[in-house]
Each structure stands twice: as C-alpha cells, then as structure tokens.
Amino acid sequence: MIERRTFLLAGAALALLPQKSEAAYAVNFTVLESPYQTIGMLHRDLFEFSASAPSPVMLNALGYLGGVMNDPRIEQSEKQFILNGAAWLNEQSETDFKKAYYHLTSAQRNRVLETVIQETWGDNWIWTIYSYLFEALLCDPVYGANTHAVGWYWLHLEPGYPRPKSPFTEDKNEAI
Amino acid sequence: MKQYDVCIVGSGAGAAPIAYELSLAGYSVVVLEKGPYLTEKEFTKDEIAVSRRSIYTPRLQDEHHVVETYRDDGSIARTTAAESGWNFWNGSMVGGSTNLMSGYFHRMKPYDFRLRSTFGSIRGANVVDWPITYEMLEPYYAKVESVVGVSGKVVQHPHQEPRSTKDFPYPPTWEQPISKWFDDACRALGYYSIPTPRAVLPYDALGRSGCSYSNFCGSYGCATGAKGNARAALLEKARATGNCQIIPHAYVYRIDADPSRATAVHYYDKRGDAVTVKAAVYVVSAQAIESVRLLLNSKNRHHPNGIGNRYGQLGKNLIFSAGGSGQGRFEHSRLSEKMQYELMTRGAFVNRSLQDWYVYHRYGRPYKGGTIDFLFEHANPTSRALRELYADGKMLRGKQLQARLEHAFRHARIFTYEVFNDWLPTDNCFVSVDESVKDKWGVPVGSIRLFGHPHDIEVGNFLADKAENVLRQMGAVEISRSISSAPPPNLVAGGCRFGCDPKNSVLDPNCRMHGMDNLYVSDASFMPTGGSVPYTWTIYANAFRVAERIRTKLKKL
Ligand SMILES: Cc1cc2nc3c(=O)[nH]c(=O)nc-3n(C[C@H](O)[C@H](O)[C@H](O)COP(=O)(O)OP(=O)(O)OC[C@H]3O[C@@H](n4cnc5c(N)ncnc54)[C@H](O)[C@@H]3O)c2cc1C
Ligand code: SF4
C-alpha cells in the first residue's frame, strides 16, 4: 500500500503537465462580440490581475465561456440569462453614467457593480459568471482554459487521476 | 425471439447479485440497462464532465421528474425538474449508481428490522416491522463482504451488530492521519470511534485492482475496479459465464402482464426501435422512483392502476436518508508544522464513524438515532471555490476573493460529517406518474411528492450536536451544519415495500409481487424503513437473498 502511495506522489508533479487535447471546448472569437466585451471587462473586475493569482486572460476564461455557450449540457435558459445579465449590466451603466460598462472607468464600474449586486438578478448573475470563471481556473487544461495548469499551481492543487484526455462531448457516452 | 430464464430491468445494486448468482448457476439472464456500458478505461476525474455537467445522468431537457412540495399553508407547489433544475437521477449506466458511490458500507442493525415493536408508533408516520429479521439477512451481509469486497475492522461498541464472521475479509484502506486526531478526540469525550467499513479493496483481489487513492471517489467512476460497484464486482463475472447478456441503451417502458404473471418486457434500443423480451422470471431493479414509474406505466385491463397496485400501495412510503451534514475548518495557523502536513495528506480515507447514539434515551423513552460518518470536504475544486465566494453574507471580489481562495486551498482544510437517520415513511411522501409530462420517448414521467416528518429533523440535530462536539474537541473552527428535510436524491428507497399483507405492501417477504407468480422487485424500493445507514449494503444483501428464492423457483420449472 505504501509503495503504491509513494509511486503516486512521485508521479504527481510530472502528471501536472498539460495533456494534448483531441477536441476543443473553449472557442476563439473576437472580444468585440457582444456580450464578450462586457463580460471580458467584468472578469477583470471580479478577478483582477495580481502578483500571485492568474488573470482571466491567462486562463482563457472568455474563450471558455464561449464553450459554455455552445455546450448542449447547459440549459438554454442559463445561456439566455448570461446574455441578459450582460445587457442589464450595460443598462445600469447607461442609466448611471451614460456609457456601456466596458467604456467606464474602474471607479465607475465598481459603483455599477455595487448597485447590481444588491439586486437578486445581479447577485445571481455574478454568481453564474463566477461559476464559469472558476471552472476556467480549475478545469483540466484539455478544456482550453486553466492554461498550463496555472490555476492548479496557484492553489497547490493536484488533480485526480486518470485525467481526461479530451473535453467531454455529449455523444461520447452514447457511442459506448 | 430468444426466451431467457431471467430478465432484469436495470443493472445496479438490486440487479447485479441476481444476474451474478443465476448466471453462475447456469441460467440464461438478460440485463436491460438504460445507460451506456462504461468500464474502468472510460472513467476519469474530470470535474467538469462528472460533477458540473452531470454526464452520468440524463439531460433534464430530455428526461425529468415532476416534483411536488408542501407550502407552509399545506397547499402543494408543483414544478418539473426541467424548470427547477432539481435532479433526481443518479448513475445511469451499467452498474447503476453504485459506480458513483463512496462505498460507505454499514449494515442495518437488529432493531432496524423491528422498529415499530421496539420504539412504538410515531404520529403521522407509517412505521412497520420488516417481514424478515436481521438474522435472516446476516448470511447475505457476510456474502457481500467476501464477494463484493468490504474492507474494515470490527471494534466492539454498544451498537455493534452480531456477525457470523469475526472480522472483515479485507483490512481498512489507507487512512488519513486525521483519523488519529479523531480517535484521540473520541477517547477524550468517551465516544466509540468506529473504522468505517468501505466497499473498497485496499489491494488487488477478486480479480480487481486495489485502490489508487485517487482523491476523487464519491460521484466518480472508479478507474481501478477497487470500488465494489455492481459492474466491476458482479456483472463482469456474470458475463464471463457466457450466460448473462447485458444490453446497454435499453430503456424499458412497459411490462406486459396477465392477471397473475408478467409475460413480456418492452424496451427502446439505442436507435429508438421497440424490442420485446420474454423470460420465465422478471425482475424490476430500476431504482426506487423509476421502478414504481415503470410498474404504474404498465397498467392494462388486468391491472388498471398499474402492476402491483391492487390496494393502492405502489409508490407509497417513499423514503430518503434523513439528517444532513455539517463541517468545521482546520486552520494551519492553529496547528504545528507536522499537523499541517498531516492535514494536507491527500487521497487517503478518513474512514471514521460514530454510532454511539444509534439508540438513545430522552424524556424517559428510547429514541432511534443513527450514524455519523466523518470525511473531508469533497475534492471537487470548482465547488470548493464557489463555497468561498461569500463572507459574512457578502460576495467577495478581486484581491479579497483571491486571498480567501489562497487561504482556503493552501492553509486550511474543511472536515465534514454526514448524519444518517431514519426518514419516517408517511402518506405524504410518494411516487406517482404525471400523464401530462412526458420524457423524450413520450412516456409519462414519475412525480415525486416530498415530505419530511419533523421528528427526522429533531433526531438529525441531536446527532449533529454530537458530531460538533468531536469537531470542537479536534480543534476545528467555523463549525456549521445543515440539517433539514431536503431529500438526498442519491439515497432513496421505498415505494414497493415488502410485507406479509398485500393490503399494505406491494411485495411479499421474498420480494415477489403479491399476486404475481414470476415478477420480483429488487432494488432500494423494497425497504419499508431505511435504517439509519446508507442503503447499498442492504440492497446488495437482499438481492443475494432474492436470487436464492428465484433459483429455487427456477429449479421447479
Ligand atoms: C454520488 C453517490 C454516492 C453514494 N454513496 C453511497 C455510499 O457511500 N454508501 C451507500 O451505501 N450508498 C451510496 N450511494 C447510493 C447507492 O448508489 C444506491 O443506494 C444504490 O445504487 C441503489 O441501488 P438500486 O438498485 O436501487 O439502483 P441503481 O444502483 O441506481 O440502479 C438502477 C439502474 O436502473 C437503470 N434504469 C432506470 N430506469 C430504467 C429503465 N426504464 N430501463 C432500464 N434501466 C433503467 C438506471 O440507469 C440504473 O443503472 C451513493 C450514490 C451516489 C449517486
Ligand atoms: S481508486 Fe479508490 S479512491 Fe479512486 S474511485 Fe476507485 S475506490 Fe475510489
């Protein structure tokens, strides 16, 4: 038993290297597309760059969210809520400062966030954005996020083994 | 059309022992399983797929349940699970939910079989004695230990159940250093620390590999075969006899029956084509809710209210595991360097339980209590991170959030407990069918009416008080609990209770349907009460018992 354990721990560091993905989950797109310019800016505000934590850009959190929007396992209502929330955030920004969220200064964005977070929809929506941001931070890099396992390194996490060789697809199980 | 000796619907804990025993005895068996045939090589520790997107259960858009709850004024709130996201599916694959279990294995105790006569009735609850005794089931509990593989160590404590063997056939799995802290705390408090039996092999045995301590056990498929899931432990061996055919992607939608016999089973195959199977004996093992649904949906002119529902008992007395969970946090800042290292050891199991209050006395009378299992917070990182998002009710952002995550993951660890006590069966908790809501095959879905008896919460809180004593003694901080009547969908039973009287039970003491010569139900649904333990060991044991009865019957044919 002990031998097995020693072997496992010794193998752990090596196994942290990203595996090659057979299929993509995260998607590439231009950040100017709606709602990604808004959510891209929000990502920065929610999880700002710091000396130790990886940034949302480094994690490819936005590309990952694009994958979420194409994911058949995510309810259509959830996807619509993600879009609606971005629109409502911009509405609040226009009301308060006559500009879209991504054109505001950092202090103004903070004020808008403080307002929307008081609303039930705002709290739910930001929680939803966080849940996919955390997935991008902590998923296996085969998903095209958590690039080079930076999220795992940051939080000293060792994944479980065996790791996935590719992102799941809806019909993978169907084939078996 | 091939005629089988036995046709089994479903392939989980209630199904596999029957397939195993009867195919080993030379009978031809067909197992119809709705989900895919996944094996060790398909299982990975992919949190996104397994826990965030629930790939082992149907998509709620395609298949769901109607869920009914009681409002405070007694009226009923109805929602479809597709609308609410309330997911009552468990493992949908060959081997069923056992693929995903954590393998905490406890036997029920002798007084669980005579709850009514030991503790009396409770107002508003349909508590009954079982039609069999612990002594009748004991040999099958022992059989599960050796055939499925249960590891552990027997220690004497006031509620230790009688055993026909001295100890478990496999020693405990690799234990987390915190288990020693737990033992010390219990010693100081005068509690009996029990090594939790596990359906996990500590080393290679039974033709399967030993545990690799993957750190992602519950909710995940086992990539080594160490977990005693129904497929690895039993169905693969049944298949190897050449007598057992397992058909995945076979969704059974109807059973045909004449007044006293089942005559055929119909399923949709992977392409959506309807297929019919005939056998001498039929066994329904689709898990509590789905077995009831199938029997209700199989109504015909001989059985106008569903097969087995002559006295309106089918679907009644649905139960879950009552109780809940709680947690405390261990902070590095309060620990020596050695203890910090011990705390962060990953992969090993805590393997500790308390049963000191399986029966306790209060207000001068005995109460049925329960079991408390101790473990670390699940390793799923995304869920762990999300739990750190709020502090004092306020959502954190930016550097504050990052600092909290760093602290939570690198400098602390959450230790949890789970309370298992009886979910009292009542008239208000049952399964029926909602004809107005259909699944993707056009079949009416199951409707689940939920109700937790207030007594369950009282007992749950009593046990949580004791668990918290241990956490405090161990030095945990931020201790909190969640004891409620929210049902854990993975620990569900009842709906086809067995008993001697057809007027208040669906199955006879051998789990054969009252009035039906060749139709058995073997899964969690037979249980009239659940004991204060997780159910799977009992489901396995009972299925071995039922297999013997079916074998005797087949011999006579
Ligand atoms: C995450 C998790 C952790 C758990 N941990 C523990 C634990 O630690 N200890 C413990 O004792 N228990 C645990 N359990 C519970 C345990 O898995 C169940 O109690 C047990 O598997 C129930 O057995 P069953 O035979 O009733 O149903 P299942 O094992 O679920 O089998 C039912 C099977 O029937 C199939 N089916 C359903 N409908 C149809 C149909 N119409 N046609 C064909 N097939 C159908 C399903 O796909 C499924 O494969 C856990 C469960 C889960 C999900
Ligand atoms: S290898 Fe061990 S820890 Fe991992 S899933 Fe199997 S039984 Fe659980």
Side-chain angles (χ1 to χ4, degrees):
Chain A
M1 207 151 61
I2 298 301
E3 273 167 22
R4 181 188 291 279
R5 171 179 142 202
T6 317
F7 165 77
L8 269 178
L9 296 181
L14 267 183
L16 266 180
L17 290 173
Q19 300 186 342
K20 195 173 171 302
S21 168
E22 283 167 17
Y25 183 87
V27 295
N28 294 323
F29 51 82
T30 141
V31 281
L32 295 179
E33 279 172 45
S34 180
Y36 298 108
Q37 9 161 230
T38 306
I39 297 179
M41 183 60 83
L42 177 66
H43 273 166
R44 283 168 51 179
D45 294 336
L46 295 181
F47 213 74
E48 66 196 85
F49 180 75
S50 72
S52 58
S55 73
V57 173
M58 200 187 287
L59 295 166
N60 192 26
L62 216 45
Y64 182 84
L65 189 71
V68 167
M69 299 304 272
N70 290 335
D71 186 337
R73 276 264 156 182
I74 307 269
E75 302 276 343
Q76 198 49 43
S77 54
E78 170 102 334
K79 293 175 187 168
Q80 193 57 50
F81 182 55
I82 292 174
L83 297 176
N84 288 350
W88 296 335
L89 183 70
N90 280 322
E91 271 172 30
Q92 187 67 46
S93 310
E94 293 282 353
T95 308
D96 293 355
F97 299 106
K98 311 265 175 300
K99 280 183 196 161
Y101 183 77
Y102 47 88
H103 283 141
L104 302 182
T105 64
S106 162
Q108 289 170 329
R109 294 200 305 275
N110 199 33
R111 293 249 312 266
V112 173
L113 278 183
E114 288 298 337
T115 307
V116 301
I117 231 159
Q118 304 304 320
E119 306 277 343
T120 308
W121 77 261
D123 189 75
N124 283 342
W125 184 68
I126 292 177
W127 189 92
T128 304
I129 297 295
Y130 262 128
S131 67
Y132 297 116
L133 178 59
F134 285 169
E135 285 186 5
L137 171 74
L138 297 162
C139 68
D140 196 288
V142 292
Y143 279 82
N146 186 15
T147 319
H148 302 303
V150 278
W152 292 348
Y153 280 109
W154 174 47
L155 294 178
H156 295 191
L157 276 172
E158 197 186 323
Y161 302 101
R163 286 174 48 193
K165 292 200 170 55
S166 59
F168 83 90
T169 56
E170 191 54 48
D171 38 67
K172 211 152 97 179
N173 283 352
E174 288 301 311
I176 298 160
Chain B
M1 186 193 309
K2 186 175 172 193
Q3 168 94 21
Y4 295 89
D5 292 321
V6 185
C7 169
I8 307 177
V9 180
S11 64
I18 297 177
Y20 173 87
E21 290 287 67
L22 297 177
S23 55
L24 252 66
Y27 294 103
S28 63
V29 178
V30 62
V31 176
L32 303 173
E33 168 54 50
K34 171 179 186 227
Y37 201 131
L38 303 177
T39 63
E40 282 77 20
K41 63 183 190 313
E42 274 91 31
F43 290 128
T44 68
K45 308 301 175 183
D46 179 352
E47 186 197 11
I48 302 299
V50 173
S51 295
R52 309 285 306 161
R53 306 290 184 273
S54 308
I55 52 157
Y56 299 138
T57 57
R59 289 198 315 170
L60 290 181
Q61 301 100 295
D62 297 334
E63 299 172 62
H64 49 258
H65 297 97
V66 168
V67 185
E68 296 182 333
T69 49
Y70 289 90
R71 295 195 189 91
D72 288 346
D73 64 3
S75 63
I76 289 164
R78 177 184 176 280
T79 168
T80 69
E83 291 157 1
S84 65
W86 208 334
N87 193 340
F88 276 87
W89 298 112
N90 290 303
S92 187
M93 64 188 111
V94 172
S97 317
T98 61
N99 285 286
L100 310 180
M101 67 177 178
S102 313
Y104 293 93
F105 263 34
H106 297 279
R107 297 178 179 205
M108 285 171 58
K109 300 190 186 291
Y111 18 69
D112 284 319
F113 292 72
R114 36 186 163 80
L115 214 53
R116 173 74 188 269
S117 44
T118 309
F119 300 96
S121 58
I122 293 178
R123 191 184 303 176
N126 304 326
V127 178
V128 288
D129 286 354
W130 282 35
I132 60 170
T133 60
Y134 173 80
E135 290 68 28
M136 289 162 80
L137 202 57
E138 199 287 331
Y140 304 98
Y141 276 128
K143 185 163 195 168
V144 174
E145 285 185 7
S146 56
V147 176
V148 173
V150 183
S151 52
K153 182 172 164 14
V154 173
V155 294
Q156 285 315 312
H157 63 90
H159 299 287
Q160 170 62 47
E161 62 279 353
R163 298 174 48 90
S164 55
T165 57
K166 200 159 165 284
D167 214 334
F168 289 91
Y170 300 96
T173 46
W174 173 36
E175 286 181 356
Q176 226 283 346
I178 206 169
S179 311
K180 165 101 183 24
W181 309 4
F182 181 88
D183 294 342
D184 292 343
C186 287
R187 206 169 300 118
L189 292 164
Y191 299 167
Y192 291 86
S193 166
I194 305 172
T196 311
R198 300 294 291 264
V200 174
L201 294 174
Y203 45 72
D204 298 359
L206 299 171
R208 290 151 44 203
S209 298
C211 182
S212 66
Y213 303 102
S214 61
N215 206 31
F216 290 76
C217 192
S219 300
Y220 285 83
C222 179
T224 63
K227 195 189 281 187
N229 69 74
R231 185 196 51 76
L234 300 164
L235 291 174
E236 296 296 1
K237 289 172 185 164
R239 205 160 71 131
T241 63
N243 297 326
C244 178
Q245 187 183 359
I246 299 167
I247 306 180
H249 301 288
Y251 168 64
V252 176
Y253 60 94
R254 201 177 72 232
I255 300 171
D256 287 345
D258 64 20
S260 61
R261 291 180 63 79
T263 53
V265 155
H266 302 279
Y267 72 88
Y268 291 120
D269 70 8
K270 198 173 173 184
R271 290 187 315 196
D273 294 337
V275 183
T276 300
V277 171
K278 285 189 175 282
V281 168
Y282 297 87
V283 183
V284 178
S285 306
Q287 208 180 42
I289 294 166
E290 292 306 295
S291 286
V292 170
R293 174 192 176 206
L294 174 62
L295 291 163
L296 287 169
N297 277 335
S298 298
K299 64 185 177 194
N300 62 26
R301 70 194 162 92
H302 306 298
H303 304 274
N305 301 316
I307 304 176
N309 203 19
R310 188 144 61 117
Y311 294 104
Q313 290 299 305
L314 184 59
K316 297 294 183 306
N317 297 303
L318 185 74
I319 52 173
F320 295 86
S321 187
S325 59
Q327 64 173 54
R329 199 190 289 263
F330 285 99
E331 294 281 355
H332 280 193
S333 56
R334 296 165 162 261
L335 302 173
S336 67
E337 217 169 295
K338 176 170 173 280
M339 289 174 90
Q340 292 174 17
Y341 176 79
E342 288 181 349
L343 180 72
M344 303 313 264
T345 304
R346 78 188 278 287
F349 296 117
V350 174
N351 280 357
R352 287 294 183 275
S353 313
L354 292 177
Q355 293 192 319
D356 294 51
W357 311 276
Y358 209 82
V359 176
Y360 61 95
H361 287 79
R362 237 180 163 191
Y363 316 122
R365 75 173 185 88
Y367 267 69
K368 176 66 198 306
T371 303
I372 315 168
D373 278 346
F374 291 81
L375 60 159
F376 274 112
E377 177 187 40
H378 197 288
N380 273 341
T382 305
S383 325
R384 284 173 64 194
L386 279 168
R387 276 195 288 274
E388 302 298 332
L389 198 49
Y390 289 83
D392 302 324
K394 194 172 170 291
M395 190 188 274
L396 301 177
R397 298 206 302 268
K399 290 201 170 63
Q400 251 188 329
L401 173 64
Q402 290 165 346
R404 189 171 164 95
L405 288 176
E406 273 183 24
H407 178 81
F409 280 81
R410 290 161 50 169
H411 307 294
R413 195 163 179 189
I414 290 179
F415 191 63
T416 63
Y417 65 86
E418 288 177 0
V419 169
F420 299 90
N421 59 277
D422 285 82
W423 177 288
L424 293 177
T426 67
D427 287 343
N428 301 330
C429 193
F430 56 85
V431 183
S432 57
V433 155
D434 192 320
E435 302 277 352
S436 70
V437 184
K438 309 261 166 72
D439 66 13
K440 67 175 178 184
W441 290 279
V443 179
V445 307
S447 174
I448 307 163
R449 175 78 64 83
L450 295 170
F451 175 75
H453 196 289
H455 179 86
D456 305 346
I457 300 177
E458 193 186 323
V459 177
N461 275 314
F462 175 85
L463 293 169
D465 287 344
K466 307 296 182 188
E468 290 186 355
N469 289 344
V470 183
L471 260 53
R472 259 189 301 275
Q473 179 73 27
M474 290 171 75
V477 293
E478 293 179 40
I479 294 171
S480 63
R481 72 172 72 170
S482 165
I483 302 292
S484 73
S485 53
N490 60 334
L491 299 171
V492 55
C496 294
R497 54 161 55 172
F498 74 159
C500 296
D501 182 356
K503 293 210 175 69
N504 55 31
S505 57
V506 176
L507 309 174
D508 74 11
N510 292 330
C511 288
R512 184 169 64 168
M513 190 169 279
H514 285 300
M516 298 295 286
D517 181 51
N518 64 343
L519 180 58
Y520 291 76
V521 178
S522 174
D523 53 20
S525 64
F526 82 98
M527 300 173 76
T529 54
S532 300
V533 290
Y535 306 136
T536 310
W537 196 351
T538 302
I539 303 169
Y540 269 148
N542 185 61
F544 275 110
R545 186 183 70 91
V546 171
E548 231 170 69
R549 304 298 181 275
I550 297 177
R551 194 176 162 183
T552 309
K553 181 179 176 56
L554 285 168
K555 267 193 209 153
K556 290 188 194 147
L557 291 180

